[in-house]
Amino acid sequence: MTLDLTAELTDTRLLAVIRGTDPTAAVATGSALLAEGVRVVEVALTTPRACDAIAAIRAAAPPGSLVGAGTVLTRADVADVAAAGADFVVTPAVVDSIGAAADRGLPVAAGALTPTEAYAAIRAGASVVKLFPASLGGPAYLKALRDPFPDIPFVAVGGVGLAELPGYLAAGAIAVGVGGPLVGDAASGGDLDALRRRARAYLAAGS
């Protein structure tokens, strides 16, 4: 059964963003997050050998989890991540990859900041809109953005720490996407035990 990205994000409330300098560490990071109960993870293509990492994490992922690719910009990127087995793609902006992924049946979390960009992202085929960088306007901006677009599912990404998470959910985000505050340096060879503790804290805060 194919899992629905929007439904999974709405249920789990957390998208983990893996961006590092070591592909082996990125795989270990993804595996640790999934083992702790994080069900939706992305590996940014800025990570060395990101497609290899996506394939490895996907192959070992438990049932009920989604493994995607982030910083997907071009149609060629979409082809690469689809070949690696990515379940979804994430973009930092309204770019060509949105339509290319949608055409393949890959769900897209498309980056947008303004009302015009959010609407354009949905029109291009995005499943959800990644409000990025969310910290620029905070929860109040998200709430204002949702007023004219109550049916667009928003995921707040960028500068979302544990303290900020409840505010974004209260403002109407279906989930938050968290990179550095959650992953830390784990994807570059850092402490996996500390990563696991942060993962448990984020899951508890979103429940």
Side-chain angles (χ1 to χ4, degrees):
M1 181 179 68
T2 302
L3 298 175
D4 180 86
L5 176 64
T6 307
E8 288 300 304
L9 287 171
T10 301
D11 186 48
T12 194
R13 311 290 250 171
L14 180 64
L15 165 64
V17 182
I18 300 170
R19 188 187 304 273
T21 60
D22 183 307
T24 301
V27 173
T29 296
S31 298
L33 288 167
L34 292 169
E36 289 299 334
V38 177
R39 301 208 313 262
V40 188
V41 302
E42 70 165 272
V43 178
L45 291 189
T46 52
T47 302
R49 300 205 305 278
C51 286
D52 291 341
I54 291 166
I57 297 168
R58 175 69 270 164
S65 56
L66 294 171
V67 180
T71 323
V72 179
L73 300 175
T74 67
R75 291 178 176 272
D77 289 341
V78 172
D80 289 343
V81 302
D87 294 310
F88 64 93
V89 304
V90 183
T91 79
V94 180
V95 289
D96 289 346
S97 57
I98 298 171
D103 288 345
R104 289 175 174 264
L106 279 175
V108 184
L113 180 62
T114 68
T116 299
E117 291 169 352
Y119 184 69
I122 292 296
R123 287 292 298 269
S127 301
V128 302
V129 169
K130 180 181 89 170
L131 179 63
F132 177 77
S135 58
L136 194 63
Y141 177 71
L142 171 60
K143 183 179 183 305
L145 193 59
R146 287 192 69 249
D147 286 344
F149 299 123
D151 296 327
I152 293 180
F154 284 96
V155 177
V157 182
V160 182
L162 267 176
E164 292 78 29
L165 185 153
Y168 285 108
L169 297 182
I174 64 166
V176 297
V178 190
L182 168 60
V183 174
D185 63 353
S188 298
D191 189 342
L192 290 176
D193 288 334
L195 169 71
R196 294 185 183 95
R197 290 192 294 271
R198 291 191 296 270
R200 292 192 290 269
Y202 267 94
L203 288 169
S207 62

